[in-house]
Amino acid sequence: MNISFLGNWRKRRDPAFGVAVFTGGDDDDGHEGLAELLSECELLRAQAARAGVELDDSAGSLEAIDQLVPGWRDDEEAAAWLGNDAGLYLGTVVVRTVPGARWEIWPNGQPVVRLDSGREIDVVEAGQAWAASGAPELSQLYAEVAEQ
């Protein structure tokens, strides 16, 4: 696997909320590798698997995630990491299912999803809010994004 931006990901930049990614450029291979890296969401996938939920990168899987029992809310650190993963998973589903959607990286390293309309969705922030309170639901956010 050739992920051209990994050599630069540790460079210091302005702080990002939750997760930061630094790329080496805007080449297509970098976007492909970026999408692959951001789709890993290991903590969320493990949490879902323990609950018997398969995350297949579909809109339906977002509904299943919304139904998980939120036992992580008792552990602030776990909730923060799970929130990052939930946001990245939401972004992964949007990028894979909404025509023209793609990952973009803000100058501070914050990954966001950019739609064809130019609208940028801070999916990590949305995932953090979901992990902390359950609202807004990930499936609801996806529905709002997909209809635009």
Side-chain angles (χ1 to χ4, degrees):
M1 172 180 3
N2 180 15
I3 303 177
S4 62
F5 58 85
L6 283 179
N8 295 327
W9 76 279
R10 290 186 183 233
K11 289 183 180 174
R12 293 195 178 264
R13 305 267 201 265
D14 292 336
F17 177 77
V19 66
V21 177
F22 299 105
T23 65
D26 291 332
D27 60 339
D28 288 337
D29 288 339
H31 279 287
E32 212 172 278
L34 177 63
E36 185 176 332
L37 177 67
L38 295 177
S39 71
E40 288 180 5
C41 313
E42 290 180 30
L43 183 61
L44 179 67
R45 289 181 190 278
Q47 182 84 25
R50 281 193 295 277
V53 174
E54 179 186 353
L55 300 186
D56 60 2
D57 299 346
S58 69
S61 66
L62 292 171
E63 293 174 10
I65 292 171
D66 287 335
Q67 301 306 313
L68 293 176
V69 176
W72 59 83
R73 291 193 186 129
D74 296 334
D75 181 349
E76 284 185 38
E77 186 175 334
W81 282 105
L82 192 68
N84 285 335
D85 276 11
L88 295 175
Y89 186 73
L90 170 63
T92 296
V93 173
V94 170
V95 166
R96 292 187 176 167
T97 61
V98 175
R102 66 183 286 165
W103 287 106
E104 293 290 330
I105 306 297
W106 284 343
N108 69 349
Q110 178 77 10
V112 297
V113 173
R114 179 177 292 212
L115 304 177
D116 263 350
S117 66
R119 178 179 172 206
E120 291 182 335
I121 298 111
D122 187 345
V123 292
V124 173
E125 183 178 12
Q128 291 284 343
W130 173 84
S133 67
E137 292 183 338
L138 299 176
S139 58
Q140 177 186 7
L141 287 169
Y142 173 82
E144 291 170 9
V145 168
E147 69 182 33
Q148 291 187 6

